Structures are given as C-alpha cells and as structure tokens.
Amino acid sequence: MLEQGRLGTRQVAVLTFMIVVGDMMLIYPSVISSYAKQDAWICALVGIPLGMALMAMFLKLANHYPDQNLIQISRSILGFWPGSLLSCFYLFFFIVGASTHTREVGDFMTGQILQYTPIRVLILMFVITIGWGVHKGIESVARTSELLMPIVIVFILVLTFCLLPQVDIKNLKPITDTSVVSILQGILVSIIYPVGEVIPILMILPYTARLANQTRDMLIAVGFGNLLLATLVTISLLVLGAFLTQHNIYTSFVLSQKINIGNFFQRIEAVMASSWLISTYFKATVYLYAFVLGCAELFKLKQYQVLIMPAMLLVYGIANLVSPSVTFIVITVVPYWIDWDITLGILLPGMLLLIHWCKSFKRKSN
C-alpha cells in the first residue's frame, strides 16, 4: 500500500471540515452575495442539507470500494484506459487547486499584511510548508489539524459575537426580492464551492479505520463547516450590507477590522488572517497529497515520496502563472471555476455511481 499511515474517524472528519472551510472562510460571503445579494444568507442555509447530500453521494461511492482511492475506483468502474483518462482529469484538478489556493495566500498576504514582501517569496514559503506536510504523511497532517481546528472555530464565533452590536436587520431587506435565477445560482454556489471541492477526500478514505459512525461524523463535519460559513455570510450582510459584502473580496478580514469592544478589544485582523491561513493550509496540503498519491497510483510506483519535490516545483510555477493579480481571479477565474467544480464534484462522481449501479444490476439479473 502506498500510504502506511492510518487515520481515525475523528481525524478524517476534521480534515473534511478543514477542506469545507478552507479558503472559503475569507471569500465565501463575497462570492455568494455576488449572485444572491441580500438573500445570500437564505441560499447559504439551504445549501447546508444539500451539501450534506452531496457528501453522502461521495461516501456512497467510496463505500462500494472501501479499499480503493479515486484513481482505483475510476479504473474499476470504467476500465483501465477510460478510468486512467478520467484520473488524469482529476489529477489536473488537484494540482491546479493546490496552486490556486497557494496563489490566494500570496495575493492576500501581499495585499493586506506584508505589502512590501515579494509575492514569490510568500508563495515559496507556503509551498515548502505544504510540501513538508505531505512528506510527513497524511497521518501527521490529520493529527495537526485536530490541534489547530479549535482556533478556526473560535475565531468565527468570536467574530460573530463581537459584531452583534453593529448588526442592522434592515440590511437584509427586502427579503426574497432577488430573482429566482439568482437565488438558484446562490444555492448552487453554497453547495459546490464548500462541498464539491471535498472530492480529494476520496484519495484518503482507503487509509482510514472503517468504523460504524464514520459516515455520520463526516456528514456532521460537512454540515457544521457549511453552517459556520452561513454564519459568516449572515453576519457580513447584517453588518456591511449586501453591496459592501459583494464588493469586498476579503469580507471576513474587513469584518475583523470593525470589531471594537470598549476601545480595548480591537484590531484582531491578524488573528483572522492566521485562522484563514490554517484552514487554507490544510486544504492545499490535501490537494497536493491527492495529486502526488494519485500520480504514484496511476503509474504504479512503489512509493509517492519521490514525487513530492517535483510536485512542489510544479505548484510553485503554476501559482505564479495562474493569474497576474487578484482582480483577474475575481473577474475571470471565479465565474468559470463553478463550472469546473460542478463537472468534477457532481457530474463525474454521479456518473461513476450510476455506472456502478447499472453494472451491479446487470450482474444480478444475469
């Protein structure tokens, strides 16, 4: 087996939560409100059960092949060559995803905190960090995520409660004034961005201890992560309003700057940045791990560690080339990224599950 580490149910659930929150903790309110305006909070709440349903589909597919990762599942269902072609498509998604998350970190840090630091230096530091995590193995990454997850949760709760004095319920009005198409687009965003990008977890599930409550815990992790994101969307709309939420790329960062309790507890945006970096780090690490492990599985290598350094160099190069600026990402990449997520997060897994059911039904009928 390529991966010798073994994860517990709680660890894989925490990793799932980190992927759901990930980079969404910073940009999710802006993205969803750009579609649904002041009704974005409704879309975010509706997306919680629908996101859990999508995760249940992923787990259903994985449970039919408990000892196989996504690459092996594709080959088992579609055959060697079609399955390998689909696997290449997913591997490309994994490496571009890791690179894009890395670029987001570079853009945010140079734009908001370390403004005079070259972006390539920050990208290099982040790539070394995620590469080191992959080198130490998925078990070490999962145990570390257990230790750091409370920081992410506590920050979101502190942000919410400290901004309650600045809440204005009028910012949510007029309710349901948005068009039906915009509402549906907002619901789709609330499903596909946080949960559709959890697909790399299928590369990890074969290396987890199979317990009876694993499915339940992972569904709870997805639902809880989506609930926290919905909380961020709601507090953003209540404090900033729909227009400012939509046109501030880093909405959560702006919200953290507005906290002022008695002229004493204020300016906690550095804590917010740390929380976002933590969640984004684990998401990028899982994506890089999925790419490296998938390549080793695709080419039948005995170990994946030899691919870590080339993959790190690839991530560094793509992160520098993926966009010239954060404006390019917002205007050009984000509107089309959802189509990619729909294809890889809904259509293709659904197709694999449907083909598996058809083949099972055919065998039973014979």
Side-chain angles (χ1 to χ4, degrees):
M1 185 174 284
L2 286 171
E3 175 59 62
Q4 302 301 321
R6 207 70 179 173
L7 304 184
T9 298
R10 183 176 61 187
Q11 293 167 345
V12 74
V14 170
L15 272 182
T16 303
F17 169 82
M18 287 295 195
I19 298 175
V20 171
V21 177
D23 58 328
M24 291 291 107
M25 189 169 71
L26 197 64
I27 64 175
Y28 183 69
S30 174
V31 173
I32 192 171
S33 62
S34 65
Y35 290 96
K37 305 299 186 293
Q38 72 275 6
D39 293 326
W41 65 280
I42 300 176
C43 300
L45 291 175
V46 172
I48 295 175
L50 296 179
M52 295 174 70
L54 179 59
M55 188 64 196
M57 184 183 76
F58 293 163
L59 296 176
K60 190 71 174 178
L61 178 63
N63 289 336
H64 286 304
Y65 303 88
D67 299 323
Q68 298 183 20
N69 56 40
L70 184 59
I71 307 300
Q72 296 168 316
I73 291 173
S74 300
R75 284 175 166 176
S76 297
I77 294 177
L78 301 177
F80 183 83
W81 290 112
S84 298
L85 181 62
L86 180 62
S87 299
C88 291
F89 197 31
Y90 271 110
L91 292 177
F92 181 68
F93 173 68
F94 294 155
I95 193 65
V96 172
S99 304
T100 304
H101 302 325
T102 303
R103 179 60 188 235
E104 286 176 342
V105 170
D107 284 331
F108 172 74
M109 296 298 289
T110 54
Q112 304 295 327
I113 299 178
L114 304 175
Q115 298 179 0
Y116 299 103
T117 304
I119 188 172
R120 294 188 178 184
V121 174
L122 295 172
I123 289 175
L124 179 62
M125 293 172 62
F126 192 75
V127 168
I128 292 174
T129 307
I130 62 176
W132 180 257
V134 175
H135 174 71
K136 287 301 179 181
I138 195 61
E139 187 174 356
S140 299
V141 173
R143 291 183 184 278
T144 307
S145 68
E146 283 186 286
L147 295 174
L148 297 179
M149 185 186 71
I151 297 177
V152 178
I153 297 176
V154 167
F155 169 76
I156 295 177
L157 296 179
V158 168
L159 181 69
T160 302
F161 286 110
C162 289
L163 287 173
L164 288 180
Q166 303 182 42
V167 163
D168 186 359
I169 197 68
K170 294 180 181 178
N171 289 329
L172 298 183
K173 297 178 181 179
I175 298 176
T176 66
D177 187 56
T178 313
S179 67
V180 176
V181 174
S182 297
I183 292 289
L184 293 177
Q185 288 176 329
I187 293 175
L188 184 61
V189 167
S190 69
I191 302 169
I192 199 62
Y193 273 147
V195 185
E197 295 185 356
V198 181
I199 193 69
I201 208 72
L202 295 183
M203 297 295 298
I204 298 174
L205 286 179
Y207 315 111
T208 61
R210 293 282 170 170
L211 300 177
N213 58 346
Q214 184 185 60
T215 299
R216 181 202 66 188
D217 290 352
M218 294 184 69
L219 290 177
I220 291 175
V222 167
F224 184 59
N226 238 347
L227 178 62
L228 289 181
L229 293 177
T231 303
L232 278 179
V233 172
T234 305
I235 199 69
S236 298
L237 292 171
L238 287 170
V239 174
L240 298 177
F243 182 82
L244 291 179
T245 299
Q246 176 184 350
H247 291 89
N248 278 305
I249 302 172
Y250 307 121
T251 308
S252 300
F253 189 76
V254 173
L255 285 173
S256 63
Q257 292 176 324
K258 296 180 73 66
I259 292 178
N260 187 354
I261 306 297
N263 292 323
F264 172 73
F265 187 69
Q266 57 184 339
R267 305 297 296 179
I268 65 167
E269 57 265 25
V271 179
M272 185 274 141
S274 301
S275 302
W276 179 73
L277 285 173
I278 289 171
S279 59
T280 306
Y281 165 77
F282 286 106
K283 187 171 184 178
T285 301
V286 171
Y287 268 76
L288 181 61
Y289 172 81
F291 173 76
V292 171
L293 187 70
C295 286
E297 181 62 45
L298 187 67
F299 297 106
K300 298 297 181 181
L301 302 182
K302 294 183 179 180
Q303 57 180 1
Y304 67 86
Q305 284 78 5
V306 296
L307 299 176
I308 295 177
M309 181 58 72
M312 289 170 59
L313 296 175
L314 193 59
V315 169
Y316 178 77
I318 297 176
N320 283 291
L321 295 174
V322 70
S323 74
S325 65
V326 66
T327 306
F328 179 86
I329 292 180
V330 173
I331 296 177
T332 306
V333 176
V334 170
Y336 297 100
W337 191 277
I338 188 171
D339 299 327
W340 202 12
D341 279 350
I342 290 173
T343 302
L344 292 158
I346 297 180
L347 298 181
L348 293 181
M351 179 196 70
L352 291 175
L353 192 59
L354 183 61
I355 293 175
H356 167 78
W357 284 339
C358 291
K359 293 172 70 174
S360 299
F361 179 77
K362 186 176 180 180
R363 283 196 297 266
K364 291 179 180 179
S365 61
N366 292 335

